[in-house]
Amino acid sequence: MNQTPRILPDLLAPMNDFVRKSDQVIDPVAMDYLAKRHPDGIRVIDIASYHGLLFVEAQDIVEIALCAQQLKVRRDQDGDILFVWRAGTMPPLSGLEKTLLRQAQRDLEAGPDRIFVEGAATDLRVGPSAVRKALEFLVSADLLTRDGRAYALTPLGRTEGDPE
């Protein structure tokens, strides 16, 4: 009988540990709990502290979950992650984003569910660039889709949100 130790389990242990940590981070119950504790957005540091992870571990897991389309992220101008949320759920929205989503929901009841940048900027008395930036975030959050020069509600955008 061969008494040499097996090396394979030792090589798989770090990978199994990473998979276990990843499953903890993307667990819907844990994400919902964190969303309730941090209504303005779950930061990567919040995930790291809740799960007892190093910041870089949490950041790696979030990036992988983003690629796997399990999480969505909002980034700042430098590309750093501001906050995360589970894919298919409502993200934390700014006041302008909430207003645009409510406007699209009202327009859906009144007729076509399309938003045009210039019209929304005029209606809300804000600059077109601010409206365009907010609309692009709503597209990245799967609440709106781009339809030529207009934006249309997605099924998630129709059913979720902050209706008045």
Side-chain angles (χ1 to χ4, degrees), residues 6-142:
R6 293 196 58 192
I7 297 172
L8 189 56
D10 294 336
L11 295 175
L12 293 178
M15 184 181 68
N16 290 336
D17 186 48
F18 185 78
V19 169
R20 181 185 54 77
K21 290 175 182 177
S22 297
D23 289 343
Q24 286 177 341
V25 168
I26 61 172
D27 177 49
V29 175
M31 288 300 290
D32 289 345
Y33 175 76
L34 284 170
K36 285 185 176 89
R37 284 190 63 194
H38 305 283
D40 293 334
I42 304 168
R43 300 171 301 158
V44 175
I45 193 73
D46 300 328
I47 292 171
S49 64
Y50 178 73
H51 293 288
L53 302 172
L54 298 173
F55 179 79
V56 281
E57 286 179 314
Q59 189 167 5
D60 288 346
I61 290 169
V62 166
E63 290 288 354
I64 290 169
L66 174 64
C67 291
Q69 298 180 353
Q70 295 172 320
L71 295 179
K72 294 277 191 175
V73 299
R74 181 173 207 152
R75 297 182 185 270
D76 65 9
Q77 295 171 346
D78 298 327
D80 297 328
I81 296 173
L82 292 175
F83 56 83
V84 303
W85 68 95
R86 283 189 314 121
T89 62
M90 184 64 66
L93 301 173
S94 71
L96 179 58
E97 293 159 354
K98 287 178 185 178
T99 302
L100 287 169
L101 191 57
R102 282 193 299 260
Q103 179 179 348
Q105 290 169 340
R106 279 193 306 268
D107 290 348
L108 177 63
E109 293 170 6
D113 59 338
R114 304 281 187 265
I115 298 176
F116 292 90
V117 173
E118 296 80 14
T122 303
D123 292 347
L124 301 173
R125 296 185 178 95
V126 295
S129 62
V131 170
R132 191 171 287 109
K133 184 177 176 183
L135 288 171
E136 288 303 325
F137 174 72
L138 292 172
V139 168
S140 72
D142 296 330

